[in-house]
Amino acid sequence: MDPAEAVLQEKALKFMCSMPRSLWLGCSSLADSMPSLRCLYNPGTGALTAFQNSSEREDCNNGEPPRKIIPEKNSLRQTYNSCARLCLNQETVCLASTAMKTENCVAKRGLDHIAENILSYLDAKSLCAAELVCKEWYRVTSDGMLWKKLIERMVRTDSLWRGLAERRGWGQYLFKNKPPDGNAPPNSFYRALYPKIIQDIETIESNWRCGRHSLQRIHCRSETSKGVYCLQYDDQKIVSGLRDNTIKIWDKNTLECKRILTGHTGSVLCLQYDERVIITGSSDSTVRVWDVNTGEMLNTLIHHCEAVLHLRFNNGMMVTCSKDRSIAVWDMASPTDITLRRVLVGHRAAVNVVDFDDKYIVSASGDRTIKVWNTSTCEFVRTLNGHKRGIACLQYRDRLVVSGSSDNTIRLWDIECGACLRVLEGHEELVRCIRFDNKRIVSGAYDGKIKVWDLVAALDPRAPAGTLCLRTLVEHSGRVFRLQFDEFQIVSSSHDDTILIWDFLNDPAAQAEPPRSPSRTYTYISR
């Protein structure tokens, strides 16, 4: 772009940014209320032009061409893109108003289209205000289905909204011109839907903080030794690894056992699955690969000389760790073509857990340390020291590592500098499993308790320690071995041979009319 043209665009944006809010908010005739800036489209030159005052406008009417502030090539589009990038409501609204009020110079539909696209960047509060400006603004909002577009934008970018769309059923009305029933709802439908979604979200957050939930229990009915060591779930199924050497797959909706996989000669201690395979590790020292749909055993990897305690795989790479103190890095070309790339040695006790991404492999051991390795080269990077006893679990994502130990504490670490950011205390026995997302940490321990922690507060050094544990959930009668959670639920397994599903979206006590005590008793203990 020519430097002069860039300067002119910058001046145009500064004009719009200088517009006082009083010139547009609540005005019924917005164009007549903006003497400091008049943007018109000149069909002869194809350029946006500006009048600084009424006399300059009169000069233009007498035949003198107005001063050009934006180059003619793609001028409307450039202005729209620039304002959209600003993400500032005042500038966005000013430009949208300009587009709508210059329909005598440009085809009406074209300007409406531009206005709709600009206003589609507004949040809900700003969209409500825009509807109240005048009838034309309300019409553009309605004709453009801007409330639908706002909801669709939230569903695309937020997993909580995406999950609610699936669970509540209103997702069928999004991302298509005509829904399955053939009747397209009007804009008013989506405008009324939005506050209901917000209410659902507020209810979920309240339920997490107050411990309100519905509870479902799967009795695994192991015939020999009892205990569910590991699990993973999705919307359709729960895959569990048991102490009785089997892998059991459960229907998530009916809670019935759909398939039992046999082949291991020891307890199934760890597992992970994707859309193609289930991979399991066992106390029989082997790693086995199964077809996720048929249950057929596809491969057996024999490398470790003691129990395989944990494994992770992603993007053609797998990492396993063992009681033999070693970490194995594997290349996965296919389920039947898995080759050993490298063995990492450095821990002085059993390696209990591993996690990795494209940058680092992170391992934790009974030797009280967390070690960080380079994913590409498999070279050692650093050691994180701080736990007083062996480390049983961890999760790693971005720069954050969260670990749980037999010293009964949870620690948060910055992986780049190795600093311990926070120590969480509250469990009375070994912290056996831990997971976190953007909002919270959920931990399970040998004391039979599951604790929910405020992650945002835990990362704030000013937050008092006593405010970090939001809720303690007590339902398991044995040690908690493994858990996984999302925005709506926790799924946990225990030495008591059960799998529990804690549902924070559908709380029967809150839905009862009139309010009454639930049929079962829940015990909640807060720190």
Side-chain angles (χ1 to χ4, degrees):
M1 179 185 294
D2 183 78
E5 293 181 353
V7 171
L8 289 173
Q9 287 200 42
E10 182 65 25
K11 287 182 178 180
L13 292 178
K14 286 182 178 180
F15 280 136
M16 285 181 283
C17 291
S18 67
M19 291 292 291
R21 187 174 294 264
S22 60
L23 292 179
W24 58 266
L25 186 59
C27 296
S28 60
S29 181
L30 192 59
D32 295 334
S33 303
M34 297 196 297
S36 63
L37 178 63
R38 292 281 190 271
C39 287
L40 294 175
Y41 184 74
N42 189 317
T45 64
L48 280 178
T49 58
F51 302 104
Q52 294 303 308
N53 50 54
S54 58
S55 62
E56 186 175 336
R57 181 174 182 175
E58 292 173 359
D59 291 340
C60 177
N61 290 338
N62 292 328
E64 181 180 339
R67 183 171 56 84
K68 189 183 296 184
I69 66 170
I70 293 182
E72 62 184 65
K73 184 178 180 181
N74 296 325
S75 55
L76 278 172
R77 190 66 180 175
Q78 288 172 352
T79 308
Y80 156 60
N81 288 336
S82 298
C83 288
R85 285 195 299 271
L86 283 175
C87 296
L88 298 173
N89 291 345
Q90 179 171 323
E91 291 77 12
T92 302
V93 173
C94 286
L95 187 60
S97 175
T98 299
M100 282 185 284
K101 294 299 181 179
T102 58
E103 59 192 45
N104 292 330
C105 300
V106 181
K108 181 178 179 180
R109 177 56 196 156
L111 286 174
D112 278 359
H113 177 68
I114 294 173
E116 289 168 11
N117 278 277
I118 295 173
L119 292 177
S120 69
Y121 283 86
L122 297 180
D123 57 23
K125 184 177 180 180
S126 301
L127 195 54
C128 284
E131 287 182 322
L132 299 175
V133 170
C134 62
K135 291 181 180 180
E136 278 294 290
W137 286 60
Y138 184 86
R139 180 189 62 77
V140 171
T141 301
S142 180
D143 292 351
M145 301 294 285
L146 295 190
W147 284 101
K148 178 186 179 185
K149 292 178 180 178
L150 173 59
I151 294 173
E152 288 175 340
R153 186 170 82 237
M154 297 302 297
V155 170
R156 278 194 300 266
T157 58
D158 192 307
S159 58
L160 178 56
W161 283 71
R162 190 159 52 249
L164 277 174
E166 296 170 357
R167 286 165 171 78
R168 293 306 198 205
W170 44 263
Q172 64 179 312
Y173 300 109
L174 305 177
F175 304 109
K176 54 180 73 72
N177 292 329
K178 288 188 178 181
D181 59 11
N183 297 318
N187 185 65
S188 58
F189 168 83
Y190 300 99
R191 197 189 193 289
L193 175 61
Y194 190 91
K196 295 178 182 177
I197 299 171
I198 297 301
Q199 180 60 52
D200 257 348
I201 292 172
E202 292 174 351
T203 298
I204 292 168
E205 292 301 316
S206 175
N207 287 346
W208 274 99
R209 289 187 170 274
C210 299
R212 293 188 296 265
H213 62 270
S214 63
L215 191 71
Q216 293 177 292
R217 189 185 302 267
I218 298 175
H219 295 277
C220 294
R221 307 187 190 283
S222 304
E223 295 182 1
T224 54
S225 53
K226 297 184 181 298
V228 185
Y229 281 132
C230 52
L231 63 80
Q232 183 182 336
Y233 74 88
D234 56 41
D235 290 339
Q236 286 75 45
K237 63 184 176 295
I238 302 173
V239 181
S240 59
L242 281 72
R243 191 180 178 189
D244 67 3
N245 309 349
T246 66
I247 299 107
K248 290 186 176 180
I249 303 176
W250 310 85
D251 187 292
K252 181 73 160 45
N253 299 309
T254 66
L255 308 186
E256 295 178 353
C257 184
K258 300 194 299 183
R259 183 176 287 120
I260 301 176
L261 311 183
T262 58
H264 279 297
T265 58
S267 300
V268 181
L269 303 178
C270 55
L271 66 82
Q272 184 184 343
Y273 70 82
D274 62 11
E275 66 279 359
R276 295 194 302 164
V277 297
I278 304 171
I279 303 183
T280 56
S282 167
S283 59
D284 65 11
S285 306
T286 68
V287 175
R288 296 178 189 258
V289 184
W290 318 74
D291 186 293
V292 72
N293 297 308
T294 66
E296 176 189 2
M297 189 188 302
L298 304 175
N299 202 348
T300 300
L301 307 177
I302 301 174
H303 164 73
H304 291 289
C305 57
E306 293 192 65
V308 180
L309 301 179
H310 200 249
L311 63 86
R312 301 297 297 168
F313 71 88
N314 190 35
N315 292 332
M317 173 177 164
M318 178 170 66
V319 181
T320 61
C321 62
S322 171
K323 191 177 178 181
D324 65 12
R325 307 181 185 184
S326 74
I327 301 160
V329 182
W330 308 78
D331 290 314
M332 301 174 60
S334 72
T336 56
D337 184 7
I338 303 176
T339 56
L340 183 64
R341 181 200 302 180
R342 185 82 175 265
V343 177
L344 309 182
V345 179
H347 284 293
R348 294 176 287 105
V351 185
N352 294 317
V353 59
V354 289
D355 204 352
F356 75 94
D357 64 8
D358 292 339
K359 189 172 186 180
Y360 294 124
I361 299 170
V362 185
S363 59
S365 167
D367 65 8
R368 308 179 186 182
T369 68
I370 297 170
K371 291 189 179 293
V372 182
W373 319 75
N374 183 284
T375 300
S376 300
T377 66
C378 294
E379 296 300 320
F380 172 75
V381 177
R382 66 177 58 87
T383 299
L384 310 183
N385 291 297
H387 279 295
K388 303 296 190 295
R389 301 184 67 181
I391 302 164
C393 57
L394 67 74
Q395 182 184 350
Y396 157 55
R397 193 180 71 195
D398 299 327
R399 292 185 59 142
L400 183 63
V401 175
V402 181
S403 59
S405 167
S406 55
D407 63 12
N408 305 349
T409 69
I410 297 163
R411 286 179 180 254
L412 283 66
W413 312 80
D414 183 332
I415 196 170
E416 295 294 349
C417 65
C420 180
L421 306 174
R422 172 76 77 164
V423 179
L424 304 179
E425 298 179 317
H427 281 294
E428 299 165 7
E429 295 185 44
L430 179 151
V431 182
R432 180 66 176 80
C433 50
I434 198 154
R435 305 298 294 171
F436 70 88
D437 62 10
N438 294 328
K439 298 177 182 178
R440 53 185 69 92
I441 302 169
V442 182
S443 60
Y446 278 5
D447 57 14
K449 299 172 183 176
I450 294 173
K451 287 184 177 287
V452 181
W453 311 80
D454 187 331
L455 174 60
V456 177
L459 292 173
D460 182 355
R462 300 167 298 178
T467 65
L468 303 181
C469 183
L470 302 176
R471 189 59 51 176
T472 300
L473 309 175
V474 183
E475 278 291 343
H476 282 295
S477 58
R479 296 172 170 178
V480 180
F481 284 141
R482 194 60 53 89
L483 62 80
Q484 182 185 342
F485 78 98
D486 55 42
E487 291 89 348
F488 307 99
Q489 62 197 326
I490 301 171
V491 180
S492 60
S493 67
S494 168
H495 189 268
D496 62 17
D497 209 39
T498 67
I499 298 171
L500 299 185
I501 304 172
W502 316 70
D503 185 351
F504 295 91
L505 174 60
N506 302 300
D507 172 29
Q511 296 171 1
E513 290 291 343
R516 54 188 175 87
S517 299
S519 57
R520 59 176 292 122
T521 301
Y522 299 94
T523 305
Y524 306 113
I525 302 173
S526 298
R527 273 186 58 79

